[in-house]
Amino acid sequence: MSNRRADHVARPTFRPHPETPRGTPRRTRSRTFLRASDGVPIDAVYEPGASGRDAPDLVFVVAHGFTGDADRPHVRRIAEAFAHHGAVVTFSFRGHGASGGRSTVGDREVLDLAAAVAWARSFGHARVVTVGFSMGGSVVLRHAALHGDGSGSGTDAVVSVSAPARWYYRGTAPMRRLHWLVMRPTGRLVGRYGLRTRIHHRDWDPVPLSPVEAAGRIAPTPLLVVHGDRDGYFPLDHPRMLAEAAGDHGELWVEPGMGHAEHASGEELLRRIGDWAVARAG
């Protein structure tokens, strides 16, 4: 799984999705196939939000967790919650849903997010907040570190929920199962046919920038790290490492009773994240 061009600025192209007829007005709900900078087609959805705000306002770009996609009910629920605060872009990472390619489990996915952010800005939104969950939480960190150059695919604030701080962590039973799924041929078959996730068979080469290294490079972009104290995948040393690396530009919320990622994110937490984004995204 090569990271050779992960810092390349995306120049996405847009192909209409069958759900979105040609001639659909901008700033209305639309669905498009983006093309990441390495050529992989990415299924993406834009929704103007329930707030009725005009184009220069805020747009959330939601990066789902491993085995999710733009049409999964838990991803739709997240999008609906953030729509009360601004417009929302959801998309399916490579190897997930209707997108092309195969999942590299957080490596090349940074290119998918860069394409989605550039598309979100093409609607005229001046402020972009990326919100990632689990694998997506690691991707938003790396994206902010690699695309913070004002190129059009950067972000104004970052929210990382239930993310790892370091790669190859196997300290919990769910993470040992995930490594079997990714690293073994039988596991990849289960991923493809049981979880609708197509996983790349190659190892990372080179190993991508770690989430904790990325968190240290995001400043001055505001960063919110959210983690549950009952997360079964990553214990609390992971979010604490991320927040410490971010320094004064990072903020840590440890949520009592919360488990892992989208399924564990309640409506009250999503409302608070939305309020934080409105206040911190410039």
Side-chain angles (χ1 to χ4, degrees):
M1 300 178 185
S2 173
N3 190 45
R4 183 169 52 90
R5 294 182 61 209
D7 59 349
H8 179 74
V9 175
R11 294 288 185 266
T13 57
F14 310 143
R15 177 163 61 89
H17 191 281
E19 290 185 10
T20 305
R22 292 185 181 277
T24 299
R26 293 182 68 76
R27 296 192 294 276
T28 60
R29 188 183 193 277
S30 60
R31 192 160 191 164
T32 294
F33 286 99
L34 313 177
R35 194 164 294 276
S37 63
D38 63 349
V40 175
I42 302 300
D43 182 25
V45 182
Y46 171 82
E47 293 164 290
S51 64
R53 294 170 177 166
D54 294 329
D57 284 325
L58 187 67
V59 58
F60 294 82
V61 180
V62 178
H64 63 75
F66 186 60
T67 75
D69 65 58
D71 292 320
R72 298 271 187 167
H74 60 277
V75 177
R76 301 311 326 144
R77 182 177 65 84
I78 300 295
E80 290 168 6
F82 291 148
H84 293 291
H85 301 270
V88 182
V89 167
T90 51
F91 65 97
S92 298
F93 280 122
R94 61 187 60 205
H96 294 73
S99 293
R102 287 177 286 179
S103 175
T104 62
V105 199
D107 179 11
R108 307 289 288 178
E109 283 75 9
V110 70
L111 304 179
D112 309 344
L113 178 57
V117 169
W119 187 53
R121 289 200 186 274
S122 77
F123 287 89
H125 296 283
R127 299 186 295 156
V128 176
V129 176
T130 53
V131 185
F133 297 83
S134 193
M135 180 188 77
S138 71
V139 174
V140 297
L141 294 170
R142 292 184 57 241
H143 168 265
L146 296 171
H147 292 261
D149 56 2
S151 62
S153 59
T155 186
D156 299 290
V158 181
V159 182
S160 180
V161 183
S162 303
R166 55 192 185 273
W167 302 134
Y168 302 112
Y169 177 72
R170 292 178 170 87
T172 58
M175 286 306 298
R176 290 190 288 274
R177 289 194 294 269
L178 187 144
H179 278 85
W180 174 83
L181 191 75
V182 171
M183 303 301 294
R184 301 290 186 178
T186 302
R188 291 191 291 271
L189 283 174
V190 171
R192 184 181 188 93
Y193 296 106
L195 301 173
R196 295 184 293 168
T197 302
R198 306 174 305 280
I199 306 166
H200 208 293
H201 66 281
R202 294 197 182 113
D203 292 337
W204 287 336
D205 183 21
V207 175
L209 183 74
S210 73
V212 70
E213 291 175 306
R217 301 185 187 184
I218 290 174
T221 301
L223 168 63
L224 174 62
V225 176
V226 181
H227 211 89
D229 66 359
R230 295 187 181 178
D231 191 304
Y233 286 77
F234 306 113
L236 289 176
D237 62 316
H238 285 259
R240 288 168 179 158
M241 288 173 64
L242 294 174
E244 182 179 359
D248 292 341
H249 293 275
E251 185 173 344
L252 173 61
W253 294 356
V254 175
E255 297 296 307
M258 178 184 170
H260 186 69
E262 295 103 323
H263 292 288
S265 298
E267 300 306 312
E268 190 271 340
L269 172 60
L270 295 174
R271 179 192 58 76
R272 284 192 283 120
I273 292 173
D275 290 342
W276 181 92
V278 170
R280 298 301 301 274

